[in-house]
Amino acid sequence: MTSLRSNTTQTSGIDRIEAAKNGVESAWAEIYSELAGPVVGYLRSRGAHDPEDLSSEVFYQVARDIRRFHGDESKFRSWVFVIAHRRLIDERRSRGRRPDTVDEPVEDLDAPVGDVEDEVMQHVSTQQVWEVFRTLTVDQQHVLALRIVADLTLEETATVMGKRVGAVKALQHRALASVKTMIEEGRVSL
Amino acid sequence: MSESGDYMDEMFATQLREREVELLLTGAPTHSDDLADLEAFVAALSAGDRPPRDVEQMATSLAAVARSTRPSTRRGFRRFATLAASGAIFVAMSGVAMAANGSSPGDLLYGVDRTLERIGIGDGGVDERISEFDVLISSGSDDRAFALLAEVIDSGDPDEAAKAEEHLVLAATKSSANAAEAQEKVAAILTFIEANRGHGIGVDGRDFGQGIAEIAKSNDNSANQSDSGANESPPDDQGSGGPPEDPGTQGNPAQRTDENPGKSSGETSSSQSNTQGNGNQPNLGNGQNTGSQGTTPDDGETVEPSEGEGEDTTGEVRDNGPPENAGPKEDKDPGPPDHAGPKDK
């Protein structure tokens, strides 16, 4: 299977996008299986209320509008995350207008049962990471979410954020410096 | 060392650090003591979510949506709405109009609200229709709910129609008991919309809505039928596997001129072939990936995600909110929720 990442030749990537435009299911299966995880992760890291549901909406909009998209796979990835970002903003506005519902904790019945102590430690560590993440500025969070969680390149991230590559570089440097300071000050132990 | 030599060293150190940061952010080992303690942080963030489930089901739905999209060309309704709105503007000034606007299905003034909205007064747009759809579905009024969104789909506004279609697809997917049922519902609904868009909508859009509602409910009645597409058919369908004929247009083929005969709804070809029996939708039964869509002229829009900052870089991504929040930039960010971590990896 070809990949949407850099090991894809541009021609095969464009072919796949063309196939997706024509409604070829295998093309959509590849696109969805490769991008759904990063999209859900991105939406979650950006505070989406229901990342899985919102991700479905993102992909339906991608499918609906793909005929109007022109570009290679890299631009396609950026485009998908632009849509994700906009749906996230829509969700926040919508949430502001409607009464919020109480989230039930979702248990993954298919998840393998592991060592409880390990799981707790991992959970605590993950919690700390996200606490640190939340102390960053909005733009710094956005950059790290796109670079690390969504696995976008520097250029793709700049496209999604509508910033110059240099500005994105500066943001990610400052973000990592802040995190490093917090680690060194012992505010988080990883 | 000379000053220029120091400068070169500093430049080299900066470049090296940039490369290291790139390695760090992509999850590769940095081999740098300075960045080592950040590797665990990046690893935790990049743990990500589990691979998606139901890839095949989603792929089927997405492919069907991609095949079914087309620009709307109906402008007649809008012209009528503009004229009607100017003639009835005085009504908008009345207290009744103000009181009616914002009423929900089941309220005394809801009928007044909808009537005014149809002539362009106090129209809450597709978002209001979707909210009302959810209310009606939760109260069991499926026909009215689907009629509501069907009216939006047929209204001539491509953005609103697309959003309504998307909500219909999501509703059908969520209401399905399993992947196969969801696939069939979604495919049948999209096919039906494609075949009937712009035709035979009654005063309240209910004819169209009833057709969609019947498809949405069809699996309840056809669980024992074969999986050859037959369970996409509502009880009153003429064929064995086709989408339901709009009762408002049956027997009146002259009204049914396909707006975009080059389109194919592909996935639902088995059902579409039945619609051809009317002789009104010549190209709707082309089957999957016949290439007819590939030759359909595009809008001519070139979507370049790298367009200006804060703009809708897709050129198509809808943003219903105020312009100050429309771009990728945002002033407020609640940040990830407490459960924002990658699912307890």
Side-chain angles (χ1 to χ4, degrees):
Chain A
M1 186 172 81
T2 56
S3 164
L4 288 166
R5 291 309 309 161
S6 53
N7 59 344
T8 303
T9 64
Q10 200 171 77
T11 305
S12 69
I14 291 174
D15 283 349
R16 181 157 62 177
I17 291 170
E18 286 305 312
K21 285 181 182 180
N22 288 324
V24 177
E25 286 184 28
S26 60
W28 281 107
E30 289 181 13
I31 289 170
Y32 184 72
S33 60
E34 288 174 28
L35 286 182
V39 167
V40 171
Y42 169 74
L43 295 171
R44 190 185 306 283
S45 71
R46 303 287 293 147
H49 181 64
D50 190 341
E52 281 82 8
D53 246 23
L54 198 54
S55 169
S56 297
E57 292 182 21
V58 168
F59 279 97
Y60 278 119
Q61 184 169 348
V62 168
R64 207 181 61 212
D65 294 342
I66 193 169
R67 284 172 165 275
R68 294 160 179 169
F69 170 81
H70 298 279
D72 58 19
E73 292 258 359
S74 177
K75 284 183 179 173
F76 181 73
R77 283 180 67 87
S78 301
W79 183 64
V80 169
F81 281 93
V82 167
I83 291 175
H85 178 75
R86 292 188 171 278
R87 296 308 288 241
L88 183 68
I89 291 174
D90 283 349
E91 187 210 51
R92 287 179 188 162
R93 289 193 187 121
S94 174
R95 228 192 306 166
R97 287 198 297 264
R98 295 175 191 169
D100 216 348
T101 54
V102 177
D103 257 347
E104 294 288 335
V106 179
E107 291 186 12
D108 183 4
L109 298 176
D110 296 335
V113 178
D115 183 86
V116 174
E117 191 176 348
D118 282 351
E119 286 180 9
V120 170
M121 291 304 293
Q122 192 174 11
H123 181 69
V124 169
S125 174
T126 304
Q127 285 255 1
Q128 285 186 332
V129 165
W130 287 104
E131 282 169 15
V132 168
F133 183 83
R134 278 197 295 270
T135 65
L136 302 173
T137 68
V138 170
D139 276 348
Q140 288 172 357
Q141 287 182 32
H142 201 181
V143 165
L144 292 191
L146 290 170
R147 291 298 325 270
I148 300 173
V149 182
D151 196 24
L152 296 190
T153 66
L154 195 59
E155 290 75 17
E156 290 165 351
T157 300
T159 299
V160 174
M161 295 186 71
K163 292 183 181 296
R164 287 177 292 105
V165 168
V168 173
K169 272 186 193 174
L171 276 170
Q172 65 188 24
H173 271 74
R174 284 199 291 272
L176 292 172
S178 296
V179 173
K180 186 170 171 55
T181 301
M182 278 184 270
I183 293 172
E184 286 172 351
E185 289 175 351
R187 291 164 64 184
V188 57
S189 56
L190 300 171
Chain B
M1 186 177 285
S2 67
E3 282 188 11
S4 63
D6 290 342
Y7 176 75
M8 291 303 290
D9 282 351
E10 192 177 327
M11 284 291 291
F12 179 74
T14 303
Q15 288 171 1
L16 182 66
R17 186 161 181 84
E18 280 187 8
R19 282 201 298 273
E20 287 170 344
V21 167
E22 277 304 299
L23 288 172
L24 174 71
L25 292 175
T26 53
T30 60
H31 305 296
S32 164
D33 293 341
D34 203 26
L35 296 174
D37 47 2
L38 286 172
E39 287 183 10
F41 175 81
V42 171
L45 282 186
S46 63
D49 282 70
R50 284 182 292 273
R53 298 174 181 174
D54 304 325
V55 172
E56 285 185 10
Q57 176 188 345
M58 273 300 286
T60 301
S61 298
L62 294 172
V65 170
R67 283 192 296 265
S68 71
T69 51
R70 64 177 181 174
S72 172
T73 56
R74 295 188 72 236
R75 295 192 178 89
F77 181 83
R78 283 204 149 182
R79 281 198 292 271
F80 168 76
T82 306
L83 286 171
S86 6
I89 194 68
F90 69 95
V91 179
M93 304 305 291
S94 74
V96 174
M98 295 181 71
N101 192 26
S103 58
S104 300
D107 294 348
L108 189 61
L109 290 175
Y110 180 65
V112 178
D113 182 27
R114 295 293 296 120
T115 303
L116 292 174
E117 286 175 356
R118 281 191 196 99
I119 58 174
I121 298 170
D123 188 355
V126 66
D127 290 333
E128 188 177 330
R129 297 290 84 76
I130 285 174
S131 298
E132 291 162 1
F133 172 87
D134 292 337
V135 169
L136 288 167
I137 288 290
S138 64
S139 65
S141 304
D142 290 7
D143 285 1
R144 290 180 62 203
F146 283 104
L148 203 59
L149 286 195
E151 191 178 354
V152 177
I153 290 168
D154 204 54
S155 68
D157 184 316
D159 286 340
E160 293 205 342
K163 196 164 184 177
E165 280 182 32
E166 181 182 310
H167 198 75
L168 275 178
V169 169
L170 283 171
T173 304
K174 286 178 184 173
S175 69
S176 301
N178 54 54
E181 182 184 322
Q183 283 178 19
E184 288 172 0
K185 274 187 187 178
V186 169
I189 286 175
L190 291 173
T191 303
F192 182 75
I193 290 171
E194 184 76 4
N196 293 279
R197 191 198 305 266
H199 305 291
I201 305 302
V203 173
D204 59 358
R206 196 161 294 185
D207 294 342
F208 194 12
Q210 279 175 345
I212 297 175
E214 283 164 3
I215 297 171
K217 294 185 295 187
S218 64
N219 288 76
D220 298 337
N221 303 324
S222 57
N224 296 326
Q225 296 184 29
S226 73
D227 60 358
S228 61
N231 55 359
E232 293 173 6
S233 303
D236 62 343
D237 189 15
Q238 291 177 345
S240 60
E245 285 301 320
D246 185 339
T249 57
Q250 275 182 340
N252 191 6
Q255 293 181 1
R256 309 186 62 167
T257 53
D258 189 1
E259 295 168 359
N260 196 347
K263 297 284 182 182
S264 164
S265 294
E267 172 62 22
T268 53
S269 58
S270 64
S271 60
Q272 287 168 343
S273 60
N274 293 289
T275 65
Q276 287 185 303
N278 295 325
N280 301 313
Q281 299 151 14
N283 290 322
L284 287 170
N286 289 338
Q288 187 168 0
N289 307 322
T290 57
S292 61
Q293 278 198 326
T295 59
T296 304
D298 199 84
D299 294 333
E301 297 179 53
T302 298
V303 179
E304 292 295 341
S306 57
E307 286 172 6
E309 178 173 349
E311 293 298 319
D312 181 346
T313 57
T314 67
E316 295 300 326
V317 182
R318 203 177 43 255
D319 191 342
N320 299 320
E324 62 267 23
N325 290 328
K329 279 188 171 181
E330 54 192 288
D331 298 322
K332 296 178 181 177
D333 188 347
D338 291 340
H339 58 280
K343 284 191 178 176
D344 302 335
K345 286 278 178 180

